[in-house]
Amino acid sequence: MRVVVLSNSPASPVVLPLESETASASGERWESEAISDRAVEGVAWSVANALLESGHDVVMLQAGNRPEDVIAGLRDAAPDAVFNLCETIGGDSRLEAAVPYLLSWLDIPFTGNPPGALAMLVDKVTTKALFASLGVRTPECLTLGCVSDLDEWNIWPAILKPAAEDASLGIDAGSVVRNAETARSRFELLAARFGIPVLIERFITGREVNVAVLETENGLKTGINEIDFSTLPSELPPIVTYEAKWVENSNYYKSTPVKSPANLQHAVDRIVRDTALSIFSALDLSGYARIDFRIDNENLTWVLEVNPNPDLSDDAGFARSLPEMGLGYREAVDGLVRVAIARHRRRKK
Ligand SMILES: Nc1ncnc2c1ncn2[C@@H]1O[C@H](COP(=O)(O)OP(=O)(O)O)[C@@H](O)[C@H]1O
Ligand SMILES: [Mg+2]
């Protein structure tokens, strides 16, 4: 088969001045945020190699600011399927869904999640409303459009985050706040940098696990990773910050190793797996997704978010759950193309 591996062109690095004491106290300035965007290039090569090993013809294509170039590239390649790795367009996460919308329009099968799901889930406010409608336990939250909205909030500690970013953009040691004053200055910082709305959420103290869900020709498979915060210096809040995900020489990165598979009590293991599977089905997701949970000290499970089309690096996150599913990277990548083509055929009927 001929497969186009489509990834986004990396956005140019954004360098920001320090805007508040919160940012300097946390030691981060998000000036390195283009790292997560650039990581997609590495993933594209890993996926391409896996596809070549499976005997496919592979064409690499990047989606930048000009849709007409993508259309021309796809017309030239005339692929049987597209492996869609686009996470942003020109650095804008809200345009992630534009790529699978375009592929649907061009009637080309593509891997991973449908555009509607991507468009919905990029927005954390919508996602929280979906959780509520599904009856899934998720931390209480409030959407903040201006600083005085915080007058209605009285749950501490709390965490603030941009409403429409992922990859832990905007999440650093200053994200967890214990009172209204710190919350206000954090709101100002996030609103200036990422725009409104900003989300404030009850902070769940406890363990953090990610459930990987993969659609295969033999049904859905799951695997669970745990973030091990045990070596994190006590002055740093136990959360997965931007640095923890992307900045290899940072304290956060070094002190938040991933334990795979997670070692959970049988009952808790069942609950998080079943919850992840029911969310995957209820939201009509396809291909692959990662669902993040916190488990509090009373063993209650809380869904933090759903990541459709999560990072597919061959050495991190999702891929580390593949052994638990009994699959290798090459097989999983090949399987994603096969289920994409099968889904496309079903929809045409
Ligand atoms: N309500 C919460 N309680 C505890 N930790 C949280 C909460 N919300 C977010 N976090 C921490 O922040 C990280 C990033 O938040 P998340 O909502 O997953 O944003 P992103 O989409 O950027 O990954 C999580 O992995 C977790 O460590
Ligand atoms: Mg997350």
Side-chain angles (χ1 to χ4, degrees), residues 66-78:
R66 290 165 42 92
E68 56 271 39
D69 293 347
V70 178
I71 295 170
L74 290 169
R75 292 250 188 265
D76 283 351

Side-chain angles (χ1 to χ4, degrees), residues 116-128:
L118 296 177
M120 241 171 14
L121 294 169
V122 72
D123 187 306
K124 287 188 160 52
V125 178
T126 310
T127 306
K128 296 291 279 189

Side-chain angles (χ1 to χ4, degrees), residues 10-308:
S12 44
V14 186
V15 181
L16 286 163
L18 281 177
E19 288 182 54
S20 84
E21 294 195 355
T22 327
S24 64
S26 72
E28 273 180 275
R29 286 169 282 175
W30 305 318
E31 63 193 31
S32 50
E33 73 186 34
I35 302 174
S36 50
D37 227 30
R38 245 178 278 136
V40 170
E41 283 187 308
V43 178
W45 285 109
S46 304
V47 165
N49 281 326
L51 292 168
L52 288 169
E53 280 171 31
S54 295
H56 298 296
D57 253 356
V58 176
V59 178
M60 310 283 282
L61 193 63
Q62 282 198 333
N65 289 320
R66 290 165 42 92
E68 56 271 39
D69 293 347
V70 178
I71 295 170
L74 290 169
R75 292 250 188 265
D76 283 351
D80 298 295
V82 166
F83 206 107
N84 175 29
L85 295 170
C86 295
E87 294 187 358
T88 65
I89 293 294
D92 185 350
S93 312
R94 289 188 192 259
L95 284 179
E96 178 182 13
V99 173
Y101 275 126
L102 177 68
L103 294 169
S104 307
W105 196 353
L106 295 171
D107 201 22
I108 302 173
F110 57 88
T111 59
N113 283 281
L118 296 177
M120 241 171 14
L121 294 169
V122 72
D123 187 306
K124 287 188 160 52
V125 178
T126 310
T127 306
K128 296 291 279 189
L130 285 170
F131 290 158
S133 72
L134 296 176
V136 165
R137 190 186 295 110
T138 187
E140 298 93 318
C141 76
L142 181 68
T143 307
L144 308 171
C146 63
V147 76
S148 62
D149 289 341
L150 273 167
D151 297 347
E152 286 165 45
W153 183 263
N154 62 1
I155 303 173
W156 311 107
I159 182 166
L160 285 98
K161 41 190 166 181
E165 292 292 346
D166 59 2
S168 284
L169 276 168
I171 309 273
D172 65 24
S175 298
V176 181
V177 296
R178 295 180 184 279
N179 55 54
E181 196 189 330
T182 332
R184 279 194 288 270
S185 64
R186 190 69 188 181
F187 169 82
E188 300 288 9
L189 177 76
L190 291 178
R193 173 64 192 85
F194 298 97
I196 50 167
V198 169
L199 211 62
I200 186 165
E201 242 181 45
R202 172 195 290 275
F203 181 73
I204 308 295
T205 307
R207 298 167 73 175
E208 179 158 340
V209 297
N210 317 128
V211 183
V213 182
L214 178 71
E215 183 186 356
T216 73
E217 287 169 305
N218 306 312
L220 297 178
K221 300 206 183 288
T222 55
I224 311 183
N225 288 340
E226 175 165 13
I227 316 296
D228 176 3
F229 294 117
S230 63
T231 60
L232 195 67
S234 58
E235 66 276 14
L236 296 177
I239 54 173
V240 185
T241 60
Y242 187 85
E243 284 193 341
K245 277 185 193 155
W246 305 107
V247 186
E248 289 184 19
N249 60 4
S250 68
N251 251 337
Y252 256 115
Y253 190 97
K254 291 181 206 149
S255 323
T256 52
V258 175
K259 220 163 64 185
S260 188
N263 183 14
L264 299 177
Q265 271 179 20
H266 182 68
V268 179
D269 183 289
R270 256 302 20 111
I271 289 171
V272 287
R273 256 182 238 273
D274 289 350
T275 309
L277 286 170
S278 64
I279 291 174
F280 194 95
S281 304
L283 300 183
D284 212 13
L285 301 185
S286 49
Y288 56 118
R290 207 194 65 221
I291 294 140
D292 297 343
F293 292 82
R294 300 282 287 204
I295 303 167
D296 71 16
N297 299 333
E298 269 130 44
N299 268 341
L300 287 180
T301 59
W302 302 79
V303 178
L304 291 186
E305 65 156 351
V306 179
N307 298 284

